[in-house]
């Protein structure tokens, strides 16, 4: 499995040798036995194949480069220089500590300098980072940093709200708890008015988000 390197000059991760599909399915059978069941019984015969196919979907983000997604931009904006906001972008990720789901939504904004990008590309950047083993804090920074480095706007803001099944279905068992993280760059960090405008547009979670 090859992990794309970070954008613009940051050190790329070393390539990871990817096991064969047969090895992956064998690993699933081992886990089934470890859980206390028989991978050879009728109901579990197809489970290793299904799990491997699920992982191909869950972790598809390792095969896409967010920098490439953002590289096609547009300069014909008729002087548009106001905030661009995409909110309530649902995502599904997996905790890198327990490999259980993180389900939430992301809100993204940027202040164009000269260039804008198609809004579907912003959503896909979130999807790329979400479809990897993650912690929410890192994912929030990765989204913001990639947009900032490629588009070079006047500012970028990202807020992520999510529920972590590593604490709702195991461990402390606290359902209904959501985690909120934010990353503010440029004008969103330096200008309180710009930051307040963005937070108001996404529902003003100022009592929960640290800018």
């Amino acid at each position: 499995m090859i992990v794309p390197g970070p954008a613009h000059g940051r050190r790329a991760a070393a390539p990871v040798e990817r096991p064969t599909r047969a090895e992956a399915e064998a690993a699933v059978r081992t886990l089934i036995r470890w859980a206390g069941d028989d991978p050879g019984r009728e109901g579990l015969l197809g489970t290793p194949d299904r799990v491997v196919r699920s992982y191909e979907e869950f972790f598809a983000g390792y095969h896409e480069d967010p920098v490439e997604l953002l590289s096609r931009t547009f300069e014909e904006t008729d002087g548009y220089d106001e905030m661009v906001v995409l909110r309530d972008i649902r995502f599904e990720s997996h905790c890198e500590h327990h490999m259980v789901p993180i389900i939430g939504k992301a809100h993204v904004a940027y202040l164009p300098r000269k260039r804008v990008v198609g809004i579907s590309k912003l959503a896909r950047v979130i999807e790329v980072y979400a479809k990897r083993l993650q912690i929410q804090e890192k994912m929030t920074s990765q989204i913001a940093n990639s947009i900032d480095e490629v588009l070079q706007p006047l500012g970028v803001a990202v807020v992520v709200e999510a529920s972590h099944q590593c604490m709702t279905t195991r461990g402390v068992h606290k359902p209904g708890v959501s985690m909120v993280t934010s990353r503010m760059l440029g004008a969103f960090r330096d200008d309180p008015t710009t930051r307040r405008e963005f937070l108001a547009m996404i529902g003003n979670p100022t009592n929960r988000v640290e800018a």
Side-chain angles (χ1 to χ4, degrees):
M1 183 177 292
I2 305 299
V3 181
H8 291 266
R10 278 186 285 163
R11 203 161 141 191
V16 177
E17 184 178 351
R18 190 177 187 184
T20 66
R21 189 181 193 87
E23 288 172 331
E25 291 183 9
V28 176
R29 283 189 285 272
T30 298
L31 287 174
I32 291 171
R33 286 195 299 271
W34 185 86
D37 214 322
D38 176 12
R41 72 174 174 85
E42 182 181 7
L44 291 173
L45 281 175
T47 296
D49 173 65
R50 287 190 290 267
V51 170
V52 170
R53 283 189 283 115
S54 295
Y55 269 41
E56 287 175 337
E57 182 177 341
F58 293 158
F59 304 118
Y62 286 114
H63 307 292
E64 290 192 81
D65 185 351
V67 172
E68 186 177 330
L69 286 175
L70 292 168
S71 62
R72 185 180 180 187
T73 59
F74 307 93
E75 295 187 12
E76 295 182 12
T77 61
D78 276 349
Y80 183 86
D81 59 0
E82 296 295 325
M83 197 180 300
V84 176
V85 180
L86 205 58
R87 66 184 190 183
D88 297 325
I89 308 162
R90 190 181 187 279
F91 70 86
E92 299 164 2
S93 190
H94 283 78
C95 165
E96 67 180 38
H97 299 143
H98 302 96
M99 297 181 72
V100 294
I102 302 170
I103 299 174
K105 57 185 177 180
H107 316 281
V108 177
Y110 70 98
L111 274 170
R113 189 181 300 273
K114 290 183 179 179
R115 300 182 295 165
V116 297
V117 68
I119 58 173
S120 67
K121 300 299 189 294
L122 295 176
R124 286 188 64 192
V125 166
I126 293 166
E127 190 80 353
V128 166
Y129 284 121
K131 295 295 187 183
R132 301 179 182 184
L133 291 168
Q134 279 291 9
I135 63 171
Q136 185 174 324
E137 299 91 333
K138 181 174 71 173
M139 187 178 85
T140 304
S141 291
Q142 287 173 326
I143 295 166
N145 293 344
S146 292
I147 296 170
D148 185 57
E149 292 173 0
V150 179
L151 299 186
Q152 299 183 1
L154 297 173
V156 179
V158 176
V159 171
V160 177
E161 306 174 67
S163 173
H164 294 241
Q165 290 191 16
C166 58
M167 72 171 290
T168 63
T169 63
R170 60 160 301 282
V172 295
H173 288 277
K174 296 296 181 185
V177 176
S178 62
M179 179 177 174
V180 181
T181 51
S182 68
R183 174 79 161 156
M184 306 285 173
L185 301 173
F188 292 94
R189 177 182 289 273
D190 301 333
D191 185 350
T193 301
T194 301
R195 183 164 61 249
R196 282 195 298 269
E197 180 183 351
F198 166 64
L199 294 174
M201 292 177 75
I202 66 170
N204 200 26
T206 51
N207 61 327
R208 296 177 295 160
V209 179
E210 208 171 305

